[in-house]
Amino acid sequence: MKASAARWTATIVLALAVAWPGAAGATTYVTETFTCPIGGEKFKARSVVSNITFGQRPDGKPYSPLPVYPIPECPSNGLLLFEKDFGEDELAVLAAAIATDEYRAMHDRETPRYRAWWLMTRLKRPALERAYMLFQAPWESDDDWDRKVRYMAAFVNEVAALERTEDEADAWFWITLRAANSLRELGHFEKAAAMIERATAPGNLPGDPEAAEGARTYVEALAALVAERNPLSEPASLVPARFAAVRCTVPRPALTPSEERACARPEVAEAVAEFKTRDDEGRKLTGEAAIRFLDQRRRAHD
């Protein structure tokens, strides 16, 4: 069911990318030549010049033609260049790490960001940096629910060990809320509620008034989903209107109360009306008909 939902999301992302003005060709690349700092191998890889996003999911993954940027990887030894430069002592640590059987076995089993996080732990990178790398690893695993669960659990554990400091207070606040969302998606609703409470303790909200207001909006929606025991990765109440339009039109499973309220917003009705695609004969479909057609196509291929 989870893998099916991921394929459904991919279908909708493509449809919305086509429908959105200016979206076509929005992701551009340049080919760069890299030199592997271990072994000296030269290789070419693409770097992103421009991209476009259409908002994000509750877990922070952007709706985009390229939601996760590639990390250059040395072809021969698998070293991921997740930083521009490494010191000599760091390269010695990395050389030993990538030579292990454990790391080599990861190549076909784990995603780049998870492997980068693993290497960062060997370098003893700051905990918050490691958490942000691991935060993105589940985005690379929408097609593998078991792996995604493993990554979300590891992310939650990493965040649970973080200490709040004044210098990184806002970053700590947001990463802690993202961990609360991971707990919600994992179905650990009581732990999710406790994590929200930890993040929003007095004095923890961002100091900037606009950021604080955005935080309150996110927290209110997330807390409602937790109270409703809603584990969906794309609930109607915490995705952009164009994506909520899909969930509101074909609500499987049934909408929870906070989602029903979100579906009643005028901007969602407008998004449904603006939805466009073409059927198998090339005929233009709009509104609910377009969404239901894509839903039927998705179910036919499951």
Side-chain angles (χ1 to χ4, degrees):
M1 177 172 144
K2 293 290 184 178
S4 172
R7 290 194 297 272
W8 173 220
T9 298
T11 300
I12 291 299
V13 168
L14 290 173
L16 287 177
V18 171
W20 233 309
T27 304
T28 58
Y29 305 85
V30 293
T31 299
E32 294 188 70
T33 299
F34 295 86
T35 300
C36 189
I38 296 174
E41 176 184 22
K42 293 186 181 297
F43 65 98
K44 294 182 183 297
R46 295 197 302 175
S47 297
V48 180
V49 174
S50 66
N51 191 33
I52 192 170
T53 63
F54 315 121
Q56 58 183 230
R57 301 187 314 199
D59 68 350
K61 182 177 181 179
Y63 288 106
S64 171
L66 185 69
V68 186
Y69 282 27
I71 300 175
E73 179 174 348
C74 301
S76 296
N77 60 30
L79 176 64
L80 289 157
L81 305 185
F82 53 89
E83 293 176 7
K84 187 175 181 179
D85 296 300
F86 298 101
E88 290 301 318
D89 291 345
E90 294 172 332
L91 288 174
V93 172
L94 290 171
I98 64 176
T100 62
D101 290 341
E102 182 180 2
Y103 186 75
R104 288 172 177 166
M106 285 185 189
H107 190 273
D108 296 327
R109 185 178 70 229
E110 313 293 2
T111 70
R113 273 167 176 72
Y114 184 86
R115 288 186 287 133
W117 165 77
W118 188 89
L119 292 172
M120 290 174 75
T121 63
R122 271 60 192 170
L123 290 175
K124 295 182 171 55
R125 284 290 183 264
L128 188 61
E129 290 181 22
R130 298 197 310 266
Y132 267 98
M133 181 62 74
L134 191 54
F135 162 57
Q136 299 176 63
W139 303 354
E140 300 172 310
S141 298
D142 279 340
D143 60 345
D144 188 330
W145 176 244
D146 290 340
R147 185 172 66 191
K148 184 174 182 177
V149 165
R150 191 158 46 83
Y151 287 1
M152 286 193 292
F155 169 61
V156 168
N157 288 338
E158 190 86 312
V159 173
L162 285 177
E163 294 185 8
R164 183 182 181 276
T165 65
E166 289 302 320
D167 289 343
E168 297 176 326
D170 286 358
W172 176 91
F173 172 80
W174 283 109
I175 203 73
T176 303
L177 281 184
R178 298 301 190 184
N181 180 72
S182 291
L183 285 165
R184 177 189 66 83
E185 290 192 37
L186 290 168
H188 302 315
F189 300 110
E190 289 75 15
K191 291 181 179 179
M195 188 71 81
I196 292 172
E197 185 175 353
R198 177 190 183 201
T200 58
N204 283 359
L205 261 65
D208 177 76
E210 186 175 347
E213 183 58 32
R216 290 188 190 95
T217 299
Y218 180 86
V219 168
E220 181 181 351
L222 181 61
L225 291 168
V226 169
E228 295 163 355
R229 307 182 76 80
N230 182 331
L232 295 182
S233 62
E234 294 172 284
S237 54
L238 264 179
V239 295
R242 289 201 174 209
F243 296 91
V246 176
R247 169 87 178 121
C248 297
T249 301
V250 283
R252 288 190 303 272
L255 299 167
T256 55
S258 64
E259 288 188 289
E260 290 177 348
R261 292 191 294 272
C263 290
R265 292 177 297 166
E267 56 265 37
V268 174
E270 291 172 7
V272 171
E274 293 172 358
F275 201 94
K276 300 175 184 177
T277 191
R278 292 186 181 276
D279 66 15
D280 294 334
E281 284 73 44
R283 292 172 298 201
K284 186 177 179 180
L285 299 174
T286 60
E288 289 191 7
I291 296 172
R292 295 187 187 283
F293 168 76
L294 287 174
D295 180 57
Q296 291 171 359
R297 173 185 283 175
R298 188 269 302 176
R299 285 189 289 144
H301 287 88
D302 281 350

